[in-house]
Amino acid sequence: MKTTVLHKADTRGHADHGWLNAYHSFSFASWYNPDRIQFGMLRVLNDDTVAAGMGFGTHPHDNMEIITIPLEGDLAHKDSMGNAATIKTGDVQVMSAGTGIQHSEFNPNADQRTKLFQIWVFPKYRNVEPRYQQITLDVAEQKNNFAQILSPNPDDAGVWIHQDAWFHLADFETGFEKQYELKKEGNGLYAFVISGTITIDGHELETRDGLGIADFKTLDIKASTDAKFLLMEIPMKQ
């Protein structure tokens, strides 16, 4: 029997700090919901808008896989491993925090906001050596397709993390339908709609809605309108 959790966009946590407007699909910072701690090994899904010239000062992380996906604008990154780079719309970045890192993230533009997803996944192994990776995606591959942007395999498409997880970005035209097949038994899928309306296994999802499904092998996904969405397959147990 499938198990599902539906997270409508307006049920997310929200914090507007002026320089940062953040929506939380799972408990984060001052927003706590005991029913929304995590979905399997997916711990954080933050939908952030950073004002022009603003950002996150240097702060620490450890034992977490941190994935950043810019949706609009740029994000300048610096970390204690010596990396300094700008992540642009169409890129994906991952940090394996492992034994510990410090980093900062700023919107380098004086006249444009930056919108991004920041996602945290619990790692398969603790205290690994910290690492950083950033790539530019071929957005054309997302058209009416599940374009893989993350996996456990360094030789596979996209970035890789220390977890049996697979992420895909998709850009479906109205009426297009495709079946998602689970990569690994015991995993679940958390879908998040970037824009538009899709139906997954009979559940209609609109912009910024999230749906978690476990105990399945295949799922039918159909676009009711032109739609962009993110699929995150993650282990349900460590």
Side-chain angles (χ1 to χ4, degrees):
M1 290 290 292
K2 297 188 190 82
T3 55
T4 62
V5 292
L6 176 61
H7 296 153
K8 298 296 287 183
D10 61 3
T11 67
R12 296 178 296 170
H14 180 222
D16 189 346
H17 303 284
W19 67 273
L20 171 68
N21 190 20
Y23 288 88
H24 313 303
S25 292
F26 302 98
S27 293
F28 190 84
S30 60
W31 184 68
Y32 176 74
N33 181 334
D35 297 323
R36 300 271 286 268
I37 303 297
Q38 65 196 82
F39 179 77
M41 294 297 100
L42 176 62
R43 174 60 189 89
V44 167
L45 172 53
N46 286 347
D47 183 1
D48 293 343
T49 300
V50 182
M54 304 301 288
F56 305 89
T58 302
H59 58 282
H61 293 282
D62 65 74
N63 288 308
M64 194 66 72
E65 303 292 309
I66 301 170
I67 302 101
T68 302
I69 304 173
L71 303 172
E72 181 184 312
D74 310 319
L75 196 68
H77 165 95
K78 289 184 179 180
D79 64 44
S80 53
M81 295 178 281
N83 298 297
T86 298
I87 321 164
K88 298 180 178 295
T89 303
D91 292 350
V92 59
Q93 176 215 66
V94 64
M95 291 188 301
S96 298
T99 54
I101 59 166
Q102 295 199 21
H103 77 135
S104 62
E105 298 164 300
F106 281 88
N107 178 354
N109 301 310
D111 57 353
Q112 183 184 12
R113 66 185 182 181
T114 296
K115 297 176 74 70
L116 64 114
F117 293 152
Q118 187 164 100
I119 301 160
W120 296 6
V121 175
F122 287 113
K124 191 174 183 178
Y125 311 106
R126 289 185 60 82
N127 297 322
V128 300
E129 181 180 352
R131 58 176 291 273
Y132 175 91
Q133 185 183 9
Q134 175 185 340
I135 65 169
T136 298
L137 303 171
D138 182 353
V139 295
E141 292 182 355
Q142 300 169 20
K143 197 67 177 179
N144 292 330
N145 188 39
F146 303 136
Q148 182 175 291
I149 65 165
L150 176 148
S151 79
N153 186 350
D155 299 322
D156 212 347
V159 294
W160 68 276
I161 63 171
H162 295 281
Q163 187 53 274
D164 294 327
W166 288 263
F167 286 13
H168 296 80
L169 279 170
D171 181 1
F172 279 15
E173 294 176 314
T174 302
F176 186 78
E177 186 172 4
K178 189 175 175 69
Q179 188 176 76
Y180 183 86
E181 186 173 347
L182 199 68
K183 300 284 192 297
K184 184 176 180 181
E185 186 177 357
N187 279 3
L189 186 76
Y190 194 88
F192 192 79
V193 181
I194 299 170
S195 63
T197 303
I198 61 174
T199 300
I200 301 181
D201 199 44
H203 299 274
E204 186 176 81
L205 306 177
E206 299 173 310
T207 299
R208 268 31 184 202
D209 288 350
L211 177 72
I213 306 182
D215 301 313
F216 74 94
K217 291 185 179 179
T218 61
L219 292 171
D220 292 323
I221 303 178
K222 183 176 182 178
S224 305
T225 68
D226 290 351
K228 296 181 180 181
F229 54 96
L230 173 65
L231 302 177
M232 294 167 279
E233 178 180 327
I234 64 281
M236 296 307 293
K237 296 179 181 178
Q238 193 62 281

